Amino acid sequence: MWYLGVDLGGTKILAAVVDETGRVGATARAATPQAGPPAVVEAIAATADRALAAAGVSRAAVRAAGVGAPGPADPATGVVFAPPNLQGWRDVPLAALVRERLGMPVAVENDANAAALGEHWVGAGRGVDDLLYITVGTGVGGGLILRGQLYTGVSGTAGEIGHMVLVPGGPRCACGRLGCLEAVASGSAIVREARAALAAGRPSMLAGASALDAREVARAAAEGDPLAREVFARAAGYLGLAAANLVNLLNPAMLIIGGGVARAGELLLGPVRRIVQAEAFERPAAAVQIVPAALGLHAGAVGAAAAARLRLG
């Protein structure tokens, strides 16, 4: 039996064809259009079809599809409310639109919740009943697995870790608020801070970068560039402080960190571990494992397939 998982992000769409054991048959990716929901739905369908063709699977052989969407979403209705990283979206009935376009049942889940489901199903959190997943990429998101179940709250929006306010009056977040974790610790925040420092005349190997992104900042930091190390350490520090508070609140057995920025490895995870040990209470800090995501950039798509499998059979 096959499932289709789609990870819809602010900059990219990743589609994966996944079997009932969580094995990925094939994937395809595309840039996310910024022309509103109809263009995105068409891009989802085209990307899904390319993944299906690569796997040698027909649409008719797919039991159901899942879409992980950025920002708050209601899994019961399939409506995506107001994702900060998708312009012109508000109360979009995404499940219905994709169902009509693909001709199959569709479940919609918040993208970080979907990634948490994926890591719990076949990733780093397999067999762990209480875990917290944090994704650090263009934005910052989170998902909670409590007592073996995805926790979504009374209106389906639990887990919006990226919009905890860490710096009152701080940088403006894509959600419109000031000082959110996403505004100070995401890949976008890392690039913003690096560019500001370069514009102020700070010397750095990044000065020659043609297209600056968080991966370039992480690479420069790993090579010892003082400006890059400072910028990356500041973002990791905010993430560690948020993680310490969440460990105190939830007392999870595992904290999984994924997303594009997490590819920096110990450059990010090391400070987070140290800050959790220093700032969280002793007992929950001792109980939690802090590990990288095992599914890498496939976590959201595999998790979206997991959401389809759980909700639609």
Side-chain angles (χ1 to χ4, degrees):
M1 186 178 295
W2 294 97
Y3 296 90
L4 181 65
V6 178
D7 182 13
L8 170 61
T11 57
K12 66 98 176 66
I13 295 168
L14 176 68
V17 183
V18 182
D19 73 11
E20 59 190 1
T21 70
R23 182 183 66 85
V24 175
T27 65
R29 64 182 297 155
T32 303
Q34 296 299 326
V40 171
V41 170
E42 287 302 314
I44 287 173
T47 310
D49 282 340
R50 287 196 289 114
L52 289 167
V57 175
S58 68
R59 283 192 191 182
V62 177
R63 173 66 187 88
V67 181
D74 185 346
T77 63
V79 171
V80 178
F81 299 121
N85 295 315
L86 289 175
Q87 298 302 313
W89 284 54
R90 187 166 187 85
D91 299 338
V92 175
L94 187 59
L97 294 173
V98 176
R99 180 171 62 245
E100 181 179 353
R101 184 63 180 79
L102 290 179
M104 64 181 69
V106 175
V108 164
E109 185 57 80
N110 166 269
D111 55 356
N113 283 348
L117 283 171
E119 290 290 339
H120 181 247
W121 183 23
V122 290
R126 188 171 188 173
V128 178
D129 282 344
D130 292 274
L131 66 84
L132 167 63
Y133 175 85
I134 300 178
T135 178
V136 188
T138 304
V140 176
L144 309 173
I145 303 291
L146 303 178
R147 297 187 177 179
Q149 303 292 320
L150 178 68
Y151 179 76
T152 58
V154 296
S155 58
T157 63
E160 287 291 344
I161 291 162
H163 301 289
M164 299 167 52
V165 175
L166 266 287
V167 185
R172 187 168 298 279
C173 183
C175 74
R177 295 170 180 83
L178 300 178
C180 294
L181 177 62
E182 180 170 304
V184 295
S186 64
S188 301
I190 288 169
V191 171
R192 183 195 67 235
E193 292 298 309
R195 284 178 174 158
L198 291 170
R202 292 278 302 276
S204 170
M205 64 190 299
L206 294 171
S210 57
L212 188 61
D213 58 18
R215 182 170 52 185
E216 284 295 311
V217 180
R219 180 187 60 79
E223 294 181 14
D225 182 80
L227 183 152
R229 289 181 70 86
E230 178 185 314
V231 168
F232 215 90
R234 186 182 302 120
Y238 286 126
L239 184 63
L241 184 59
N245 288 324
L246 290 164
V247 164
N248 276 349
L249 177 67
L250 298 169
N251 190 197
M254 183 175 286
L255 167 57
I256 301 171
I257 301 181
V261 176
R263 285 182 288 180
E266 286 304 305
L267 193 65
L268 183 70
L269 268 67
V272 171
R273 290 193 185 103
R274 290 192 294 272
I275 292 168
V276 168
Q277 290 302 314
E279 301 296 340
F281 286 141
E282 181 179 355
R283 286 179 63 82
V288 67
Q289 297 181 66
I290 300 176
V291 301
L295 300 179
L297 298 183
H298 289 171
V302 171
R309 175 175 171 266
L310 286 171
R311 297 207 176 94
L312 302 172

